Amino acid sequence: MNRKMSDNFAQAFLRNQIPTTGALPNGGAEVPVEPISAVNRSSATMNAIKAYILNRGLKPGDPLPTEARLCDDLGVSRSSVREALRKLEALDIIRVYQGRGSFVGEMSLVPMVETLVLRYGLTSATGRDSLRNVVSMRRYIDLGAADSLVTAMAGTSNPHLDELVATMIAKAEAGHTYLDEDIAFHNGMNAYVNNELLTQLTGAVWLVHQAFIPELNSQQNSDSLLDTARAHGNMLRAAEAGDTDGYRQAIYDHYQPLVDLLQLEH
């Protein structure tokens, strides 16, 4: 959150979501103070605190006002502020430290991961239907980033990624899985795109995938593990060579064993 909203957007957002005092950044006009009504007070207070973070361009770790100051500024009770802070903390938007106050959180996708794992676990006793969705999403993300990633990696050399591929192949040949190396490889590739959200999304979907992997482990054979491991190497070589078509084909090869196992549409 290191980019401030434009004045027009900030003012529109704040007029609809939050009563505030003081001028907006860059000489924006003051917004009239109007206490939040009792209706949807908790949601309104949460929106007010989120707007405060956005409007001031706060970053993870930056402090928030005290509860007393938030009560005065927002025109709500301390219980409303505390309830809003608890909910925002559960979403990793803020962090509350006893005796120190409230700070902007990491805003990670961990809450989304936990929700998806629970949701997918409830939709199918075996998890197979859920895995179809997760694997499809992982493939969509990889294919969507292909052009930017290959452009960024063309002409580079990545011995650390080569080592990860070699380890994956060795483990596959021994009949073992390679979960840690797999996600490290994808994170290493995605780092070239310089898009933090892409890295977080990849990690989040991977964690959901990982929650259902135990069911697959008993169904995957060493050949499919080895094919997937080698596909990682093909992805790397194609990206380094600037070969977008080859990279996309390697992505399809990467997911082919899971596609076959889960009977996904190609």
Side-chain angles (χ1 to χ4, degrees):
M1 292 292 178
N2 56 6
R3 181 179 300 172
K4 292 184 178 180
M5 295 183 293
S6 67
D7 285 348
N8 289 339
F9 184 81
Q11 291 178 44
F13 186 91
L14 293 174
R15 286 193 186 102
N16 290 328
Q17 303 287 354
I18 171 176
T20 185
T21 57
L24 293 171
N26 303 319
E30 246 184 39
V31 178
V33 177
E34 297 178 3
I36 297 173
S37 65
V39 179
N40 295 325
R41 182 166 292 172
S42 176
S43 295
T45 306
M46 289 175 64
N47 286 334
I49 296 171
K50 287 186 285 187
Y52 180 95
I53 294 171
L54 286 170
N55 186 42
R56 288 157 180 78
L58 300 184
K59 301 179 293 296
D62 287 346
L64 292 172
T66 63
E67 288 184 2
R69 176 64 184 273
L70 287 172
C71 291
D72 291 341
D73 286 351
L74 306 180
V76 297
S77 67
R78 179 159 290 192
S79 61
S80 294
V81 168
R82 286 178 176 173
E83 181 181 2
L85 292 176
R86 282 196 298 270
K87 291 180 178 179
L88 291 171
E89 186 173 26
L91 295 172
D92 202 23
I93 293 174
I94 69 163
R95 291 286 179 89
V96 179
Y97 298 96
Q98 190 68 30
R100 293 177 54 198
S102 302
F103 299 81
V104 179
E106 293 299 322
M107 303 187 194
S108 71
L109 299 183
V110 171
M112 183 189 78
V113 171
E114 294 177 354
T115 300
L116 287 176
V117 170
L118 178 60
R119 176 186 175 186
Y120 289 150
L122 292 174
T123 59
S124 171
T126 64
R128 182 174 292 269
D129 292 339
S130 303
L131 266 173
R132 289 191 181 99
N133 292 331
V134 174
V135 171
S136 292
M137 181 57 66
R138 287 189 63 198
R139 190 169 58 178
Y140 295 152
I141 292 172
D142 286 343
L143 289 171
D147 288 340
S148 297
L149 190 147
V150 171
T151 298
M153 290 191 67
T156 64
S157 177
N158 303 273
H160 61 295
L161 296 180
D162 276 318
E163 290 179 8
L164 289 172
V165 171
T167 301
M168 284 189 274
I169 291 175
K171 286 189 172 183
E173 289 176 336
H176 302 308
T177 57
Y178 36 81
L179 302 181
D180 292 340
E181 291 80 12
D182 194 332
I183 188 59
F185 176 87
H186 286 280
N187 284 339
M189 297 281 281
N190 288 337
Y192 275 96
V193 181
N194 194 28
N195 185 317
E196 182 180 353
L197 182 57
L198 173 63
T199 300
Q200 289 193 21
L201 275 174
T202 300
V205 178
W206 169 252
L207 287 174
V208 178
H209 187 172
Q210 195 173 29
F212 294 97
I213 278 178
E215 181 199 347
L216 282 183
N217 285 346
S218 61
Q219 302 174 46
Q220 286 184 292
N221 56 45
S222 58
D223 288 340
S224 65
L225 289 172
L226 186 55
D227 288 343
T228 301
R230 288 172 174 163
H232 285 85
N234 293 337
M235 289 170 63
L236 177 58
R237 285 187 290 275
E240 292 175 340
D243 180 2
T244 303
D245 290 339
Y247 181 75
R248 288 179 178 276
Q249 183 58 54
I251 290 174
Y252 282 110
D253 294 341
H254 169 289
Y255 289 106
Q256 193 60 50
L258 286 176
V259 167
D260 292 340
L261 186 62
L262 297 171
Q263 299 177 343
L264 280 170
E265 293 183 2
H266 293 257

